[in-house]
């Protein structure tokens, strides 16, 4: 029989430790509570936990120090960060952990919600180790990766929501765990070398949906996310172009989204692929702008047509004057470089109004619509788009 998974609970509140301990033991974990993080490194090497629940506020040591100690001790455990601090602090601690190379599994807010904790622990038991990867491999080879479409609108002054395109987002419904976030499964697909197959599944669905939409009068752009590994494969632009050529859609309808990090780190290969996408007629968007340190000169040299402002900056517009200044400057910068700008993560009316007031071109976010299935999309879009009829006739006539 496999040994029980080991859980280390690092928290100075005995009441919380007892609660988690009881719950985890009932699920079959081997639990070690640690009320004092003074010898966190020693405790980790002695116990070799598979999972650590880490309180970010311990007496004598804050979470940032604890993360550094875990990183220095070479911890391979997955880590759930746990704190009463606000969501931004938790998220930035999560990023800090990741930048140390730690495996941050998630964040939980105090006061503890036992149901959330239980599902986190069960999810860990169901999917830890290599089995999630094995299951993903099967899902990809069986074509069991779905996609959702998040509407993107034009932020014009009239106040009407005019949908101009859709972002295609991969979805995996795990048979026992339920939906798994792409933030979790895309890196696994990259690690396993199946990201190309996964991307093909996503693209095929996006192209089929575009054709279906054309058939009912909607000529919308489809934005697909490409991972750095797919970008650095020199065959990618041709593969994408040949899929498009076999369909009823035009290359201009496809926007390739590349994260700022990927575009900047892949050097010459990236520039070659990016240039070839544009030469083949596709649009290019720099995704999650504002999360990395890009050189503005690089941005100017790369053939992007759109810049997408990261949702963390957009979410901060209401809370922080600095975020407003950055977003406004990014919009100006992009326009001065001849790029259009899309803001992602619009959740409230004031943020939408602010973005309109500074001339941001396009937007997407939960305020407008969550990502939708193909069926939900049909209900979301207006029934007909008569002004597009001529376009469609022209496009269909080519095939
Ligand atoms: P992304 O490309 O930046 O996609 C936007 C993410 O923000 C999506 O998360 C979307 O659901 C979420 N989002 C949209 N509006 C809002 C909002 O108003 N508030 C908040 N808080 N979030 C919002 P999702 O679907 O979980 O995808 C996460 C990331 O996974 C994507 O970030 C993208 O980097 C990656 N991803 C998704 N599908 C694919 C894919 O097919 N291939 C690759 N390589 N990566 C993918
Ligand atoms: Mg994207
Ligand atoms: Mg993004």
């Amino acid at each position: 029989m496999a040994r029980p998974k080991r859980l280390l609970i690092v928290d100075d509140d005995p009441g919380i430790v007892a609660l988690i301990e009881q719950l985890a033991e009932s699920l079959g974990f081997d639990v070690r509570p640690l009320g004092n993080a003074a010898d966190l490194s020693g405790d980790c090497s002695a116990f070799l936990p598979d999972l650590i629940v880490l309180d970010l506020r311990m007496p004598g040591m804050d979470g940032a120090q604890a993360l550094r100690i875990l990183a220095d001790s070479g911890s391979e455990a997955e880590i759930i960060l746990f704190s009463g601090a606000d969501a931004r602090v938790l998220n930035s601690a999560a990023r800090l952990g990741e930048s140390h190379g730690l495996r941050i599994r998630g964040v939980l807010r105090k006061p503890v919600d036992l149901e959330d904790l239980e599902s986190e622990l069960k999810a860990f038991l169901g999917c830890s180790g290599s089995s999630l990867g094995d299951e993903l491999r099967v899902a990809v080879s069986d074509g069991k990766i779905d996609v959702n479409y998040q509407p993107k609108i034009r932020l014009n002054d009239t106040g009407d929501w005019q949908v101009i395109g859709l972002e295609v987002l991969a979805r995996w419904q795990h048979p026992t765990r339920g939906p798994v976030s792409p933030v979790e499964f895309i890196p696994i697909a990259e690690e396993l070398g199946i990201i190309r197959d996964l991307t093909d599944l996503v693209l095929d669905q996006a192209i089929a949906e575009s054709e279906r939409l054309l058939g009912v009068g909607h000529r919308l752009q489809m934005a697909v996310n490409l991972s750095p590994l797919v970008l650095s494969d020199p065959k990618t632009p041709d593969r994408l172009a040949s899929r498009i050529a076999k369909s009823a859609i035009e290359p201009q309808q496809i926007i390739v989204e590349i994260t700022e990090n990927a575009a900047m780190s892949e050097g010459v290969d990236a520039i070659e692929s990016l240039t070839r996408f544009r030469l083949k007629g596709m649009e290019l968007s720099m995704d999650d702008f504002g999360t990395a340190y890009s050189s503005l000169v690089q941005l100017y040299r790369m053939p992007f047509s759109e810049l997408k402002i990261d949702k963390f900056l957009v979410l901060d517009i209401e809370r922080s004057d600095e975020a407003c200044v950055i977003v406004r400057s990014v919009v100006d910068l992009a326009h001065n470089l001849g790029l259009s700008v899309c803001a992602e993560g619009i959740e409230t009316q004031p943020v939408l109004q602010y973005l309109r007031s500074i001339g941001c071109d396009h937007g997407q976010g939960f305020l407008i619509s969550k990502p939708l299935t193909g069926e939900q999309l049909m209900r979301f879009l207006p029934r007909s788009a008569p002004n597009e009829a001529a376009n469609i006739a022209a496009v269909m006539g080519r095939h």
Side-chain angles (χ1 to χ4, degrees), residues 287-288 310 344:
D287 202 0
D288 299 347
D310 188 63
E344 65 175 26

Side-chain angles (χ1 to χ4, degrees), residues 32 80 97 119 216 307 391:
R32 175 172 300 187
I80 297 176
S119 52
V216 292
L307 197 149
N391 263 335

Side-chain angles (χ1 to χ4, degrees), residues 265-286:
S265 61
E266 301 293 322
V268 175
D269 286 349
I271 301 186
E272 183 180 333
S273 285
L274 297 176
T275 309
R276 294 184 59 223
F277 285 128
R278 288 307 300 276
L279 291 173
K280 289 173 187 300
M282 289 166 254
E283 301 286 324
L284 264 187
S285 176
M286 179 179 276

Side-chain angles (χ1 to χ4, degrees), residues 12-188:
D12 61 311
D13 180 333
I16 289 185
V17 172
L19 264 178
I20 303 179
E21 189 171 10
Q22 195 184 8
L23 176 66
E25 280 180 349
S26 74
L27 295 171
F29 278 94
D30 178 4
V31 182
R32 175 172 300 187
L34 196 62
N36 174 346
D39 190 21
L40 182 57
S41 163
D43 283 293
C44 266
S45 358
F47 184 54
L48 290 178
D50 301 293
L51 180 65
I52 302 175
V53 173
L54 177 67
D55 179 11
L56 290 176
R57 283 190 181 145
M58 298 283 289
M61 180 181 301
D62 66 39
Q65 290 166 304
L67 290 169
R68 181 174 288 281
I69 290 172
L70 288 172
D72 289 345
S73 70
S75 168
E76 301 224 327
E78 292 195 41
I79 301 169
I80 297 176
L81 301 178
F82 188 50
S83 169
D86 79 41
R88 284 178 57 201
V89 177
L90 267 172
N91 288 335
S92 89
R95 287 196 194 179
L96 176 68
E98 280 161 2
S99 68
H100 281 316
L102 292 168
R103 300 169 68 197
I104 306 295
R105 186 173 174 90
V107 295
L108 281 178
R109 296 284 304 279
K110 281 187 180 179
V112 62
D113 178 328
L114 278 183
E115 266 180 37
D116 281 355
L117 181 64
E118 184 172 356
S119 52
E120 282 288 339
L121 294 178
K122 279 186 175 161
F124 177 83
L125 288 175
C127 306
S128 62
S130 64
S131 78
L132 188 61
D134 294 343
E135 287 163 319
L136 181 62
R137 203 186 283 282
V138 173
V140 170
S141 71
D142 290 353
K144 294 259 171 62
I145 299 294
D146 297 321
V147 296
N148 273 185
Y149 305 93
Q150 189 176 36
K152 179 169 153 186
I153 60 164
R154 194 188 305 283
L155 297 180
N156 51 17
D157 294 328
T158 66
D160 288 341
W161 286 353
Q162 187 192 350
V163 180
I164 52 149
L166 303 164
E167 176 166 8
V168 187
L169 295 159
R171 293 289 178 262
W172 178 29
Q173 185 72 24
H174 186 278
T176 54
R177 246 182 98 166
V180 183
S181 163
V183 176
E184 189 173 351
F185 70 77
I186 295 288
I188 301 177

